């Protein structure tokens, strides 16, 4: 099979399934996984997909971009969302905060005089919390993924399993009433699911561009969200759909 034929089949499968796995492609094409990984690198370089651990997902908007690029997107909006999200906190609570630039903004917005326990797998979130004197910070280690800015894998999951939280500030790559909360990376989604399972409530602060969108890997259904923090310009019909599932909507 010619290289361009493989590339076209990869593009076709991405369009149909929303993801490809390197091992499955190697078996399908009758080539080595090294050959498939080279194909994925070439397609990623051309902007036609995004590589993730074990395969690839379609190229997407800022949520699928590297962390350095996402950190420059909608900075003012995320700052407003962060202030509204922090207003939901109560002194003495325990929190999970996972990765994402909006969650980093939330960490920066926590008042210096608020006593909290925060567990995070995000180095950006951890860095933002290091100077807060009343925050007990727990950093969840594991395999660090630079594009995500988070630790993932078995060590991270084992650390999450030992903890519980009053609230989980969940960084969402896509948020849709039908598909629920979704992520672009399978390993990241697994950590998010573990944090959600060990939390009493989920909080999501999200910019308008992520509403009514979905990434390949599901994290939680829409009804699992307790608090949804959105921009004042968020579509009313979309918000009404979430509210009909018991989600409390807050405006930034």
């Amino acid at each position: 099979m010619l290289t361009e034929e493989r590339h076209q089949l990869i593009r076709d499968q991405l369009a149909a399934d929303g993801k490809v796995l390197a091992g499955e492609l190697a078996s399908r094409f009758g080539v080595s996984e090294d050959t498939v990984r080279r194909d994925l690198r070439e397609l990623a370089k051309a902007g036609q997909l995004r590589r993730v651990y074990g395969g690839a997902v379609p190229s997407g908007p800022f949520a699928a971009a590297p962390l350095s690029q996402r950190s420059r997107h909608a900075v003012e909006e995320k700052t407003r969302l962060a202030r509204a999200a922090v207003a939901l906190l109560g002194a003495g609570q325990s929190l999970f905060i996972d990765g994402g630039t909006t969650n980093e903004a939330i960490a920066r917005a926590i008042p210096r005089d608020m006593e909290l326990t925060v567990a995070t797998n995000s180095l950006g979130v951890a860095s933002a919390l290091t100077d807060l004197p009343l925050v007990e910070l727990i950093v969840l280690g594991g395999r660090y993924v630079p594009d995500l800015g988070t630790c993932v894998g078995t060590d991270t999951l084992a650390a999450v399993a030992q903890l519980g939280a009053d609230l989980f500030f969940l960084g969402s790559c896509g948020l849709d009433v039908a598909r629920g909360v979704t992520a672009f990376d399978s390993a990241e989604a697994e950590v998010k699911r573990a944090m959600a399972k060990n939390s009493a409530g989920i909080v999501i602060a999200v910019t308008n561009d992520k509403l009514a969108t979905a990434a390949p890997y599901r994290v939680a259904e829409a009804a699992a969200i307790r608090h949804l923090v959105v921009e004042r310009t968020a579509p009313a019909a979309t918000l009404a759909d979430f509210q009909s599932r018991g989600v409390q909507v807050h405006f930034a």
Side-chain angles (χ1 to χ4, degrees):
M1 184 181 293
L2 298 176
T3 300
E4 185 51 40
E5 290 178 297
R6 292 198 305 272
H7 287 188
Q8 185 58 54
L9 289 171
I10 291 170
R11 288 190 289 264
D12 291 345
Q13 186 170 336
L14 276 173
D17 299 338
K19 64 180 178 180
V20 293
L21 300 176
E24 292 179 2
L25 291 175
S27 298
R28 178 183 177 188
F29 298 156
V31 298
S32 68
E33 287 197 29
D34 284 341
T35 297
V36 169
R37 282 191 285 268
R38 185 166 59 249
D39 289 340
L40 298 180
R41 283 196 299 270
E42 292 173 1
L43 289 168
K45 187 175 180 180
Q48 297 177 16
L49 54 78
R50 175 178 178 254
R51 294 184 67 204
V52 296
Y53 184 70
V57 295
S59 293
F62 288 99
L67 185 65
S68 59
Q69 182 177 344
R70 287 184 280 130
S71 66
R72 299 189 295 271
H73 172 61
V75 175
E76 293 182 5
E77 292 87 344
K78 291 173 184 176
T79 300
R80 288 194 294 269
L81 290 169
R83 286 196 293 264
V86 166
L88 300 172
L89 291 175
Q93 287 184 318
S94 58
L95 313 175
F96 280 127
I97 306 179
D98 76 333
T101 53
T102 303
N103 277 357
E104 290 181 13
I106 289 171
R108 290 192 295 270
I110 293 175
R112 289 183 59 82
D113 62 351
M114 179 169 284
E115 184 178 351
L116 297 167
T117 299
V118 180
T120 183
N121 63 327
S122 164
L123 297 193
V125 169
S127 177
L129 295 173
T130 53
D131 291 334
L132 297 186
L134 300 182
V135 171
E136 180 181 354
L137 176 61
I138 302 170
V139 180
L140 306 169
R143 178 174 60 86
Y144 180 68
V145 182
D147 278 355
L148 300 175
T150 58
C151 295
V152 299
T154 54
D155 290 339
T156 312
L157 293 168
V160 171
Q162 302 304 311
L163 300 169
D166 298 306
L167 292 174
F168 171 26
F169 285 81
L170 195 168
S172 176
C173 300
L175 184 58
D176 179 74
V177 171
R179 294 283 301 277
V181 187
T182 52
F184 281 101
D185 184 272
S186 60
E188 184 181 36
E190 190 173 16
V191 173
K192 291 176 186 289
R193 286 193 293 268
M195 288 180 172
K197 180 181 177 181
N198 282 17
S199 302
I202 293 174
V203 182
I204 296 179
V206 64
T207 48
N208 288 348
D209 57 335
K210 292 183 181 179
L211 289 171
T213 68
Y217 299 98
R218 192 173 187 193
V219 176
E221 61 182 14
I225 304 167
R226 179 187 294 179
H227 301 287
L228 177 60
V229 184
V230 297
E231 300 177 65
R232 293 193 177 277
T233 55
T238 299
L239 300 182
D241 286 340
F242 279 103
Q243 289 173 313
S244 71
R245 286 160 173 77
V247 179
Q248 299 177 43
V249 173
H250 309 265
F251 292 98

